Amino acid sequence: MPDIAALFYSLPDETYKKEVIVLAAGRASWSYDHQEEIIFTFAHDEVDYAVLARFLDRARRVRAIVSASKYYQTHLPRRALVAASSVYAALARTLASRPLLPSLQVLDYTRSARMDFDIFDVLDVLISPKLKHFGVESHGHMWRRSVSPPEDWSSPGDASPLLQGKLQGEAQFCNMLGKLRDRAQSLQTFEVVVKPSSPSIMSAITTTLCDFRQFVVLSVNAWSFEPVDSATPAFFAYCAQLLCLRELYILLDDPPTPHDWRLQVSSQLPPNCTSFPSLRQFHPNVKDLALITGLLPLIHSTELETLSVCACGDIRRDQIRPFFAGIASLPAREHLQ
């Protein structure tokens, strides 16, 4: 299901309230084409456990929560059901440390532009010990700084106005990741899109991930107005040692000295390490080809099928030949697409 709001229909009408939000044409959230949102809230701040009996019984059967934009692959419904952040908070108080969805294996959550930042403080009520797939998205218009840029500011490269303030939602997002680390030890897929990001958020992401060893899919896409190390040498070395990792989507900000960055990665790998032994898809996002060319020799997988490099900066002519030479030396060069 796309949202736990659907569970409200198992409750008596007097226990909850609905508010219909009509979206103005052309102003819908980036992830929705629907025209209306129905926001569900509990009628009272405190919810009696006995009243929730049918709600919780149905919740125990839910195995996947997938955002509407992914749940409906082609055409989105005209109306979307959305549980307000206060619903998650009330359920968290009622259930204490018990998960709302004990059978949940897939959680793919996109935060609506109209959702409070506090949702990240209480989203952990959905985290189940059986969770294998965790995905969360927060995009540019969903994040605001406490200090707004001047009216004439338009260039993402001019970061100074944004550096004056703290990214709203930052503490809540980091708190959510800490709870994920504690409660979902069976996690195999982690996908996060945070735009803009911050050093604190990226640190929380890498700290959380490094406590897991069974990842099959890793996708970290975090863009910021300010310099952020999307992947440190230590984090890249961690990824290289994941025995089951099949897919890696990662943003690599080119450092001033790519050769030194590559040496730092190598220094944190065990001697004679077979790095990325099972990798099948590698999708790095880079500024130019200097860093990725130096990292290609670390990909030892003989199963690599897809290498998709997105370079968002200027590519110098002298970088092209070494890059293709690196591809030609890959153990899986015959299988690449």
Side-chain angles (χ1 to χ4, degrees), residues 64-87:
I65 295 289
V66 182
S67 60
S69 58
K70 296 180 181 179
Y71 185 83
Y72 301 99
Q73 294 292 322
T74 53
H75 181 68
L76 298 182
R78 189 173 67 88
R79 291 183 174 182
L81 309 183
V82 180
S85 59
S86 61
V87 169

Side-chain angles (χ1 to χ4, degrees), residues 207-240:
T207 299
T208 298
L209 295 182
C210 287
D211 282 342
F212 296 89
R213 291 290 170 186
Q214 66 276 9
F215 279 123
V216 176
V217 178
L218 270 182
S219 178
V220 180
N221 188 346
W223 178 86
S224 177
F225 288 105
E226 59 191 278
V228 175
D229 288 330
S230 315
T232 62
F235 179 64
F236 195 80
Y238 154 77
C239 294

